[in-house]
Amino acid sequence: MKSLIVKATTALLMAAFGVGTALAAPETLQDVMKRRGLSQQDLLAASKTYTPSGKRDEFIAFSSGGQSGQVIIYGIPSMRILKYLAVFTPEPWQGYGYDEESKEVLKGGRIDGKDITWGDTHHPAVSETGGQYDGQFLFINDKANPRIAVIDLRDFETKQIVVSPVFKSEHGGAFVTPNTDYVFQTAQYAAPLEPRKFYPLEEFNEKYRGGITYWKFDREAGRIDPAKSFSIELPPYSQDLSDAGKGPSDGWSFTNSFCSERYVGGIEQGRPPFEAGCSAKDTDYLHVINWKKAAELVAQGKAQKINGHDVLMMDTAVKEGILFLIPEPKSPHGADVSPDGKYIIVSGKLDTHVSVYSFEKIQAAIKAGRFESKDPYGIPVIGLKDALHVQVSLGLGPLHTQYDSKPCIGYTSLYVDSQVAKWNYCEGKVLDKISVHYNIGHLMTMEGDSVDPKGRYLVALNKLAIDRFNPVGPLHPQNHQLIDISNDKMQLLYDMPLPLGEPHYAVAIDAAKLKPGVRYRVGTNSRTDKPHPGAVRAGEEKIERNGNKVTVFGTAIRSHFTPEIIEVEVGDEVTINMTNLERAQDETHGFTVSTYNVHMSVEPGKTASVKFVADKEGVYPYYCTEFCSALHLEMQGYLLVKPKGWKATGKTLAKANYTEKDYQAQLKKIADTQAVIDQVVGIITSYDYKAFPDVVSMVEDAFDQAGKIPDVKAKHEAAAAKKDWENACLWAEQVWQYQVKTADLGLRAKTYLEQNNARKVK
Ligand code: RUQ
Ligand code: CUA
């Protein structure tokens, strides 16, 4: 085994210095096209998406993970999936829901004291500054259990989950105001606002309510502040998708609705079902709300407390003139404010028309007090013709609209037609259509809901994949199709199967705006961004006992945990903290203990912990779950759970037969490896490596490893002097371990410098 590792390591070192191999006769491009049946058009599409090794994407998409309760992150135009980010659902790789720190985040999402371990994510939103994506935070909603999560894009981790104090479901969210003062969401299915309060359906019109919640976002803290958040009570109209005004319409928000019939089904009791009664009328309502004024009214104490939360009641909102309705065509969907903030585009799912509302006209009607009627709750209704800029027939089942970088150009998904329509919403003209596969829901252009869309690409988020991919059973993946929108005619480029839930909306941001870290300040609790009380530095590792509570303050660095043996008694409550001492990026260690259902992912600098009651006697290996180095498998230890009152046996550990010859062989191996290290150091210092922070971290880590050698060298020499060949050999082996890690880091640094065209200084 040992000699195998020596060979493997030598081979690795040789490969890193570059030893060529002979090439077989290559196929020509024509050969490949013929063999795979590709057209010129296919080649053009391929060349627009294919991203060679080492090249990166222009845009990063954050897609809802649908029923997986996660966020899916992928690159555009390559459509390569980069990460499934754990949000509402436990996710073992990230330790989410298996370590103590993330359990605290999930606890924030408990409802009525119960864990909710799944979520129906729909609409992600990137934080904005001045209406532009700023790349700092991401928000996403959970429709099933009315919640919003806050993700920090400095480390792509979920930091907070908040639960609506007044809703039972929530579809329209998350949307942000242009400076991310508020993140808002709307109720979907009307219910009494008081939690855990029953009213019969006969009192639907009186006691059931919809609403909108404006969550106050504290950017400094990077968290939602529930105490400063508020809701507005709305009629039981199934408030749906929304958008914040921008530019001239900043300060206002727009929310569509369906089932303003307030119909209650009951097919089992012989009544026509919800779907019939909820689409009976020709129009539903667009809700127009002055949220800035609403926030002022709440600050003035005009809200009422429901479940400890400020709710501005409808009559107050009407009296203060901050809430209006406008009819919109049959079963509307989508409410998308144009980049210049002048128009709001609403589609009618059961209508071929898309309605473009003019904010200027809406304001004029409000100013003039020109209302066609009042709804049953006394809310003034602005006439459709008084608010409409233009209405365009686009096709069957229009849903959502996204914007181009070119003025007046929008793209609308046509669910029933399975098409995307490109059109001019200023003039009301259809420009182009492209077929997608199949039944498109949302669509997304690059930064397409900001004040400054970037054009270039559009992704169609199709509900059905049907025949596009190799079959994998009755449950199909969904299909995200990449479309080039940089020319007059749209061109379909690529189909990407999405194998994790049903994504609804997605947002894509210019990749250059994202600057996530690659390591934490040593000892950070990544879920609170604060120093972790369980963190220790190298050499300070300890195990503390306090009654039946055992706390381990451990560290992880290639390729060992400290401590390696943890002894407890049956019934002890065990907390194991691990700090990853690595500085080199991508040197994550994982940690688990056999059969205790715990796992943590500990990235460089992070401190995480697991906690459990050692409720069964036995021997439980623990190990590192990330392949972190050639000696990863040896990154192990034992949790010994001893019966109560166990007495030590007085025996010593079994010995092996090492000889002086073995020791000499070790010394030779050490000398050979040192020669390699010296050579690598020579190469690294021949560059101006200090200009590369990543390389500096690797070099620091390498010196860390090398710095441990003198101590251990003294140990093997002392043992050799006493002819204790076992200890001499093993400590010498440990010297070599540190050398291997030093060399490994050095080689990574060297490769990095070569690939990044570092400047030679020697
Ligand atoms: S909604 S398409 Cu959340 Cu349109 Cu799904
Ligand atoms: Cu650390 Cu594997």
Side-chain angles (χ1 to χ4, degrees), residues 556-561 582 587-590 623-629 631-633 635:
I557 191 158
R558 272 159 294 168
S559 316
H560 57 265
F561 291 112
E582 312 273 357
E587 277 306 336
T588 296
H589 299 287
Y623 69 95
C624 172
T625 59
E626 283 271 335
F627 207 110
C628 51
S629 71
L631 274 302
H632 148 79
L633 292 178
M635 196 162 174

mmCIF file of all heavy atoms in Angstrom, residues 556-561 582 587-590 623-629 631-633 635, ligand 2:
data_model
loop_
_atom_site.group_PDB
_atom_site.id
_atom_site.type_symbol
_atom_site.label_atom_id
_atom_site.label_comp_id
_atom_site.label_asym_id
_atom_site.label_seq_id
_atom_site.Cartn_x
_atom_site.Cartn_y
_atom_site.Cartn_z
ATOM 1 N N ALA A 556 -9.162 20.415 11.311
ATOM 2 C CA ALA A 556 -8.984 19.544 10.152
ATOM 3 C C ALA A 556 -7.993 20.210 9.224
ATOM 4 O O ALA A 556 -8.111 21.404 8.916
ATOM 5 C CB ALA A 556 -10.315 19.354 9.430
ATOM 6 N N ILE A 557 -6.975 19.464 8.845
ATOM 7 C CA ILE A 557 -6.030 19.938 7.835
ATOM 8 C C ILE A 557 -5.459 18.692 7.194
ATOM 9 O O ILE A 557 -5.337 17.663 7.860
ATOM 10 C CB ILE A 557 -4.942 20.849 8.453
ATOM 11 C CG1 ILE A 557 -4.138 21.541 7.360
ATOM 12 C CG2 ILE A 557 -4.040 20.081 9.416
ATOM 13 C CD1 ILE A 557 -3.426 22.807 7.813
ATOM 14 N N ARG A 558 -5.170 18.770 5.883
ATOM 15 C CA ARG A 558 -4.693 17.574 5.203
ATOM 16 C C ARG A 558 -3.593 16.890 5.992
ATOM 17 O O ARG A 558 -2.608 17.541 6.332
ATOM 18 C CB ARG A 558 -4.159 17.929 3.807
ATOM 19 C CG ARG A 558 -5.238 17.899 2.740
ATOM 20 C CD ARG A 558 -4.835 18.694 1.552
ATOM 21 N NE ARG A 558 -4.752 20.090 1.899
ATOM 22 C CZ ARG A 558 -4.185 20.994 1.098
ATOM 23 N NH1 ARG A 558 -3.655 20.656 -0.042
ATOM 24 N NH2 ARG A 558 -4.162 22.251 1.458
ATOM 25 N N SER A 559 -3.684 15.639 6.272
ATOM 26 C CA SER A 559 -4.805 14.728 6.103
ATOM 27 C C SER A 559 -5.134 14.125 7.447
ATOM 28 O O SER A 559 -5.139 12.922 7.619
ATOM 29 C CB SER A 559 -4.445 13.600 5.128
ATOM 30 O OG SER A 559 -3.778 14.128 4.004
ATOM 31 N N HIS A 560 -5.369 14.988 8.420
ATOM 32 C CA HIS A 560 -5.789 14.428 9.705
ATOM 33 C C HIS A 560 -6.703 15.380 10.448
ATOM 34 O O HIS A 560 -6.669 16.591 10.239
ATOM 35 C CB HIS A 560 -4.582 14.081 10.587
ATOM 36 C CG HIS A 560 -3.681 15.238 10.862
ATOM 37 N ND1 HIS A 560 -2.559 15.490 10.116
ATOM 38 C CD2 HIS A 560 -3.744 16.229 11.783
ATOM 39 C CE1 HIS A 560 -1.974 16.578 10.570
ATOM 40 N NE2 HIS A 560 -2.681 17.051 11.565
ATOM 41 N N PHE A 561 -7.524 14.759 11.264
ATOM 42 C CA PHE A 561 -8.284 15.522 12.245
ATOM 43 C C PHE A 561 -7.481 15.501 13.530
ATOM 44 O O PHE A 561 -6.778 14.533 13.832
ATOM 45 C CB PHE A 561 -9.632 14.840 12.529
ATOM 46 C CG PHE A 561 -10.595 14.886 11.385
ATOM 47 C CD1 PHE A 561 -10.951 13.725 10.719
ATOM 48 C CD2 PHE A 561 -11.167 16.081 10.978
ATOM 49 C CE1 PHE A 561 -11.846 13.749 9.664
ATOM 50 C CE2 PHE A 561 -12.064 16.119 9.925
ATOM 51 C CZ PHE A 561 -12.407 14.951 9.264
ATOM 52 N N GLU A 582 -7.132 25.041 6.570
ATOM 53 C CA GLU A 582 -6.531 25.266 5.249
ATOM 54 C C GLU A 582 -6.756 26.712 4.801
ATOM 55 O O GLU A 582 -7.769 27.329 5.125
ATOM 56 C CB GLU A 582 -7.199 24.364 4.193
ATOM 57 C CG GLU A 582 -7.342 22.922 4.576
ATOM 58 C CD GLU A 582 -6.118 22.092 4.233
ATOM 59 O OE1 GLU A 582 -5.165 22.643 3.634
ATOM 60 O OE2 GLU A 582 -6.124 20.902 4.596
ATOM 61 N N GLU A 587 -10.118 23.385 -0.661
ATOM 62 C CA GLU A 587 -9.634 22.324 0.229
ATOM 63 C C GLU A 587 -10.639 22.109 1.356
ATOM 64 O O GLU A 587 -10.386 22.403 2.515
ATOM 65 C CB GLU A 587 -8.246 22.653 0.763
ATOM 66 C CG GLU A 587 -7.148 22.276 -0.210
ATOM 67 C CD GLU A 587 -7.192 20.818 -0.687
ATOM 68 O OE1 GLU A 587 -7.755 19.947 0.020
ATOM 69 O OE2 GLU A 587 -6.673 20.559 -1.779
ATOM 70 N N THR A 588 -11.805 21.645 0.938
ATOM 71 C CA THR A 588 -12.869 21.372 1.891
ATOM 72 C C THR A 588 -12.645 20.020 2.545
ATOM 73 O O THR A 588 -12.165 19.098 1.898
ATOM 74 C CB THR A 588 -14.211 21.372 1.133
ATOM 75 O OG1 THR A 588 -14.427 22.672 0.618
ATOM 76 C CG2 THR A 588 -15.368 20.975 2.031
ATOM 77 N N HIS A 589 -12.979 19.930 3.815
ATOM 78 C CA HIS A 589 -13.049 18.628 4.468
ATOM 79 C C HIS A 589 -14.495 18.399 4.890
ATOM 80 O O HIS A 589 -15.204 19.349 5.231
ATOM 81 C CB HIS A 589 -12.150 18.572 5.703
ATOM 82 C CG HIS A 589 -10.699 18.790 5.381
ATOM 83 N ND1 HIS A 589 -9.935 17.859 4.748
ATOM 84 C CD2 HIS A 589 -9.892 19.872 5.576
ATOM 85 C CE1 HIS A 589 -8.698 18.340 4.576
ATOM 86 N NE2 HIS A 589 -8.658 19.568 5.059
ATOM 87 N N GLY A 590 -14.905 17.155 4.851
ATOM 88 C CA GLY A 590 -16.222 16.806 5.382
ATOM 89 C C GLY A 590 -16.014 16.019 6.655
ATOM 90 O O GLY A 590 -14.920 15.523 6.912
ATOM 91 N N TYR A 623 -14.720 10.041 9.812
ATOM 92 C CA TYR A 623 -13.778 10.230 8.717
ATOM 93 C C TYR A 623 -14.132 11.472 7.915
ATOM 94 O O TYR A 623 -15.211 12.042 8.063
ATOM 95 C CB TYR A 623 -13.744 8.990 7.817
ATOM 96 C CG TYR A 623 -14.998 8.757 6.999
ATOM 97 C CD1 TYR A 623 -15.089 9.219 5.681
ATOM 98 C CD2 TYR A 623 -16.087 8.076 7.525
ATOM 99 C CE1 TYR A 623 -16.227 8.998 4.925
ATOM 100 C CE2 TYR A 623 -17.231 7.852 6.772
ATOM 101 C CZ TYR A 623 -17.293 8.312 5.473
ATOM 102 O OH TYR A 623 -18.416 8.100 4.731
ATOM 103 N N CYS A 624 -13.184 11.846 7.074
ATOM 104 C CA CYS A 624 -13.387 12.992 6.189
ATOM 105 C C CYS A 624 -14.118 12.511 4.945
ATOM 106 O O CYS A 624 -13.754 11.502 4.348
ATOM 107 C CB CYS A 624 -12.043 13.607 5.830
ATOM 108 S SG CYS A 624 -12.181 14.867 4.557
ATOM 109 N N THR A 625 -15.171 13.235 4.560
ATOM 110 C CA THR A 625 -16.023 12.790 3.456
ATOM 111 C C THR A 625 -15.693 13.459 2.120
ATOM 112 O O THR A 625 -16.361 13.207 1.131
ATOM 113 C CB THR A 625 -17.504 13.063 3.772
ATOM 114 O OG1 THR A 625 -17.656 14.468 3.990
ATOM 115 C CG2 THR A 625 -17.961 12.307 5.011
ATOM 116 N N GLU A 626 -14.694 14.339 2.085
ATOM 117 C CA GLU A 626 -14.297 14.962 0.813
ATOM 118 C C GLU A 626 -12.925 14.417 0.437
ATOM 119 O O GLU A 626 -12.011 14.402 1.270
ATOM 120 C CB GLU A 626 -14.188 16.491 0.959
ATOM 121 C CG GLU A 626 -15.506 17.226 0.986
ATOM 122 C CD GLU A 626 -16.016 17.639 -0.396
ATOM 123 O OE1 GLU A 626 -15.206 17.799 -1.332
ATOM 124 O OE2 GLU A 626 -17.244 17.792 -0.534
ATOM 125 N N PHE A 627 -12.749 14.020 -0.798
ATOM 126 C CA PHE A 627 -11.446 13.482 -1.216
ATOM 127 C C PHE A 627 -10.445 14.623 -1.288
ATOM 128 O O PHE A 627 -10.269 15.254 -2.310
ATOM 129 C CB PHE A 627 -11.556 12.761 -2.562
ATOM 130 C CG PHE A 627 -10.516 11.702 -2.700
ATOM 131 C CD1 PHE A 627 -10.862 10.361 -2.677
ATOM 132 C CD2 PHE A 627 -9.170 12.038 -2.814
ATOM 133 C CE1 PHE A 627 -9.891 9.366 -2.776
ATOM 134 C CE2 PHE A 627 -8.194 11.053 -2.905
ATOM 135 C CZ PHE A 627 -8.561 9.709 -2.890
ATOM 136 N N CYS A 628 -9.776 14.879 -0.149
ATOM 137 C CA CYS A 628 -9.034 16.120 0.004
ATOM 138 C C CYS A 628 -7.555 15.994 -0.297
ATOM 139 O O CYS A 628 -6.860 16.990 -0.453
ATOM 140 C CB CYS A 628 -9.235 16.633 1.418
ATOM 141 S SG CYS A 628 -8.885 15.374 2.648
ATOM 142 N N SER A 629 -7.035 14.783 -0.354
ATOM 143 C CA SER A 629 -5.610 14.602 -0.653
ATOM 144 C C SER A 629 -5.385 13.122 -0.892
ATOM 145 O O SER A 629 -6.290 12.315 -0.717
ATOM 146 C CB SER A 629 -4.739 15.069 0.519
ATOM 147 O OG SER A 629 -4.879 14.154 1.592
ATOM 148 N N LEU A 631 -3.961 11.173 0.922
ATOM 149 C CA LEU A 631 -4.134 10.447 2.178
ATOM 150 C C LEU A 631 -5.506 10.704 2.785
ATOM 151 O O LEU A 631 -5.688 10.633 3.994
ATOM 152 C CB LEU A 631 -3.037 10.849 3.180
ATOM 153 C CG LEU A 631 -1.712 10.080 3.103
ATOM 154 C CD1 LEU A 631 -1.944 8.588 3.293
ATOM 155 C CD2 LEU A 631 -0.968 10.305 1.814
ATOM 156 N N HIS A 632 -6.460 11.027 1.894
ATOM 157 C CA HIS A 632 -7.807 11.332 2.372
ATOM 158 C C HIS A 632 -8.431 10.155 3.120
ATOM 159 O O HIS A 632 -9.086 10.337 4.147
ATOM 160 C CB HIS A 632 -8.675 11.739 1.176
ATOM 161 C CG HIS A 632 -10.101 11.367 1.282
ATOM 162 N ND1 HIS A 632 -11.000 12.082 2.034
ATOM 163 C CD2 HIS A 632 -10.790 10.329 0.757
ATOM 164 C CE1 HIS A 632 -12.179 11.507 1.937
ATOM 165 N NE2 HIS A 632 -12.081 10.441 1.180
ATOM 166 N N LEU A 633 -8.226 8.950 2.598
ATOM 167 C CA LEU A 633 -8.853 7.792 3.248
ATOM 168 C C LEU A 633 -8.328 7.614 4.666
ATOM 169 O O LEU A 633 -9.015 7.083 5.530
ATOM 170 C CB LEU A 633 -8.604 6.518 2.429
ATOM 171 C CG LEU A 633 -9.307 6.487 1.076
ATOM 172 C CD1 LEU A 633 -8.956 5.213 0.336
ATOM 173 C CD2 LEU A 633 -10.810 6.585 1.252
ATOM 174 N N MET A 635 -7.723 10.025 6.614
ATOM 175 C CA MET A 635 -8.185 11.126 7.457
ATOM 176 C C MET A 635 -9.360 10.591 8.278
ATOM 177 O O MET A 635 -10.518 10.698 7.888
ATOM 178 C CB MET A 635 -8.600 12.315 6.579
ATOM 179 C CG MET A 635 -8.726 13.611 7.346
ATOM 180 S SD MET A 635 -8.706 15.036 6.251
ATOM 181 C CE MET A 635 -9.055 16.337 7.440
HETATM 182 CU CU1 CUA B 2 -10.085 15.814 4.427
HETATM 183 CU CU2 CUA B 2 -10.667 14.003 2.991
#
